Amino acid sequence: MLLWSLAVVFFGGLLGGELFRRLRLPPLLGMLLVGIAVGPHALGLLDQSLLAISDDLRKIALIIILTRAGLSLDLADLRKVGRAAIFLCFVPATFEIIGTVILAPRLLGVSTLEAAIIGSVIAAVSPAVVVPRMLRLMDEGWGIQKGIPQMILAGASVDDVYVIVLFTSFTSLAAGGTLSPLDFVRIPTSLILGIGAGILCGLVLAAWFSRFHLRDSVKVVVFLALSFVLVTIENQCTGIIGFSGLLAVMSMGIVLGRRSPQVAARMSAKYDRLWVGAELLLFVLVGAMVDVSYVAYAGVAAVLLIAGALVFRMVGVLVSMTGTPLGGRERAFCMLAYTPKATVQAAIGGVPLAMGLACGQTVLTVAVLAILITAPFGAIAIDCTYRKWLTRTQKNTPAL
C-alpha cells in the first residue's frame, strides 16, 4: 500500500499541478488540493505507512530546495542589502505575532498567551513556497541587480528558526512551565551553530571534491547524506542550546558554491531534477495534513485574524526595507513575497491540540486556514507581479 500511496501522490500531484498551470494559477495550489482530497480527512487514499513518514519526507523536500538555494546564492549580491536581509529574519514575524496578540483576543476570545501561541504558529513564512520562486527569479535575472530575491531567500530561511523557538517557549509556558530568558538563548545558538557547522562542512566538501574525482551524482549523494546528519543533530538538540540543521544545510551549499563554483553549478542542476519529485511530495503531503472540517469551527473571525496579521507582517517587511535603494514597487513586491505559509504551519499547527491545551483546536483551525489562504495568495502575487515590478538584468551582464 505504500507504493500505491506514492503513486497516488505523484500522479495526482502531477495532474493537479498541470491543471492549475493551464489555468494560469500556481501548480502548488493544485498539489495542495489533491493532497486534501486524497488525505485521511477526505477520500483516505493514502496508506498510514506513508502518513507516518510524511514529516520526514517533507523535511527531505525542504533539504533539497534549501540546498539548491545555497548553491545558487551569491554572497556578493546579498551584501548590497545585508542589513535588510537580517531584519527580514525576525522583524516581519515579530510584527505578525504582535498583531495576532492584539487581534486574536478580540476576534476569537482567547487569552493573551493563547494569542501568542497562535501568532507564533502563523508567523513563519514558507520556504517551500518562497524559495523555488526566488531561485527562478535569480535564474531569469529579475531583481538581482538590487539583490531582491537573494534577500528574501536568505530571510525566509532564518525566519522559521526564530518563530519555532518562540512557539516552543510559548507552548511550554501554557503547559504550566515557566518562561526563562535562557529559553531565548536557543535563537542565537541555533543560528550561530547552524551557520558554523554549515561553513565547516562546506569547506571540508570543497576540499574533498577538489582532491578526489567523483561523479556529480555521487557528490549529490554525499551532500544529501551529510545534510541528513545535520538535520538529525537539530532533532537531538532539545535543551537550551539550539542548532538549525536546515540553516546548516543552506550554509554548506553557500560555502561550496563560493569555493567550487563549477562543481556547485553542476550539482545545482542535479538538485533541480530532484526537486521535480520532491515538490510533489512536499505539497501533496502538506495538503494531506489539512482537515477542512476545522475551517467552519472558527469561521469568519479566523479569516479576519489572518488578514489582519498579514497587514502587520507587511508593515514589518516595509520597516525592514528602510534605508534600502528599493523603489515603491520593489518594496511592495517584497511585502507580497513574504506572505506565503505552508510547511511550518502543517508541522506544528496540531502540536497544541496534541499537548491538550485549551486553545489547541483554535490554533489548528487558524493554521489550516493560513495555509489555504496565504500559500496560493502569496504564490499568485509573486507570479503576477515580478515581471511588472522588478527590473530584469541579463545573467551575462554584471550587476552594478
Side-chain angles (χ1 to χ4, degrees):
M1 288 300 291
L2 175 60
L3 296 180
W4 162 257
S5 297
L6 286 173
V8 170
V9 168
F10 287 128
F11 279 124
L14 284 172
L15 291 174
E18 182 60 27
L19 174 61
F20 274 72
R21 183 180 289 109
R22 290 178 181 272
L23 295 174
R24 299 186 181 275
L25 294 171
L28 75 87
L29 182 54
M31 298 173 196
L32 280 171
L33 292 178
V34 167
I36 294 173
V38 303
H41 307 293
L43 297 177
L45 299 181
L46 301 183
D47 187 66
Q48 190 59 41
S49 59
L50 177 61
L51 297 175
I53 60 172
S54 172
D55 185 57
D56 291 327
L57 292 175
R58 285 184 280 121
K59 185 66 69 70
I60 291 173
L62 278 177
I63 287 173
I64 290 172
I65 193 58
L66 287 176
T67 300
R68 169 73 170 83
L71 292 171
S72 303
L73 190 59
D74 190 339
L75 292 180
D77 291 336
L78 191 58
R79 290 193 191 101
K80 301 173 186 176
V81 286
R83 182 176 61 84
I86 293 174
F87 285 167
L88 284 176
C89 296
F90 65 93
V91 172
T94 301
F95 271 60
E96 188 164 9
I97 293 173
I98 292 173
T100 305
V101 169
I102 293 173
L103 298 173
R106 293 166 174 79
L107 291 171
L108 301 178
V110 298
S111 67
T112 300
L113 178 57
E114 290 171 337
I117 293 174
I118 295 172
S120 62
V121 169
I122 66 174
V125 71
S126 173
V129 178
V130 173
V131 172
R133 281 164 171 75
M134 294 306 108
L135 289 175
R136 186 180 67 196
L137 265 60
M138 290 165 58
D139 290 340
E140 296 179 3
W142 293 98
I144 61 173
Q145 189 174 30
K146 295 184 179 179
I148 294 173
Q150 299 95 317
M151 171 182 62
I152 295 174
L153 190 154
S157 302
V158 181
D159 171 276
D160 292 352
V161 176
Y162 172 68
V163 170
I164 290 173
V165 171
L166 291 180
F167 169 77
T168 303
S169 301
F170 292 146
T171 52
S172 175
L173 185 60
T178 57
L179 185 61
S180 167
L182 290 178
D183 293 334
F184 294 98
V185 173
R186 286 187 60 85
I187 297 175
T189 56
S190 293
L191 300 179
I192 294 171
L193 293 178
I195 293 174
I199 291 174
L200 178 61
C201 292
L203 291 173
V204 171
L205 287 182
W208 183 9
F209 292 162
S210 63
R211 181 163 182 165
F212 300 99
H213 175 71
L214 298 172
R215 294 174 56 188
D216 291 333
S217 299
V218 176
K219 293 174 184 174
V220 169
V221 172
V222 171
F223 199 105
L224 270 177
L226 189 52
S227 299
F228 295 162
V229 171
L230 291 171
V231 173
T232 301
I233 293 174
E234 175 182 357
N235 296 334
Q236 299 302 315
C237 293
T238 56
I240 295 176
I241 303 301
F243 180 83
S244 174
L246 292 177
L247 193 57
V249 169
M250 186 172 176
S251 302
M252 183 166 60
I254 293 173
V255 172
L256 182 59
R258 190 165 182 83
R259 299 301 288 264
S260 305
Q262 293 182 342
V263 171
R266 295 196 301 270
M267 287 181 61
S268 180
K270 297 286 186 182
Y271 271 94
D272 278 347
R273 298 185 182 96
L274 285 176
W275 176 242
V276 174
E279 182 182 32
L280 294 169
L281 279 174
L282 180 60
F283 288 112
V284 173
L285 292 178
V286 166
M289 295 287 293
V290 174
D291 186 350
V292 292
S293 65
Y294 290 132
V295 173
Y297 176 78
V300 177
V303 175
L304 291 176
L305 172 63
I306 294 168
L310 282 181
V311 172
F312 275 85
R313 182 177 192 83
M314 290 181 181
V315 172
V317 174
L318 189 59
V319 170
S320 301
M321 300 291 104
T322 303
T324 64
L326 303 186
R329 290 187 174 183
E330 292 166 331
R331 297 186 187 207
F333 173 82
C334 293
M335 292 164 67
L336 292 174
Y338 229 58
T339 58
K341 305 162 191 304
T343 43
V344 174
Q345 288 70 30
I348 67 176
V351 171
L353 184 61
M355 293 174 63
L357 299 182
C359 62
Q361 186 73 73
T362 302
V363 173
L364 181 58
T365 301
V366 176
V368 169
L369 279 172
I371 295 172
L372 295 176
I373 294 172
T374 65
F377 169 78
I380 292 171
I382 294 171
D383 294 344
C384 292
T385 60
Y386 76 92
R387 293 179 182 272
K388 300 176 182 177
W389 293 356
L390 302 183
T391 301
R392 188 175 190 180
T393 302
Q394 297 298 323
K395 295 291 285 184
N396 58 356
T397 302
L400 298 177

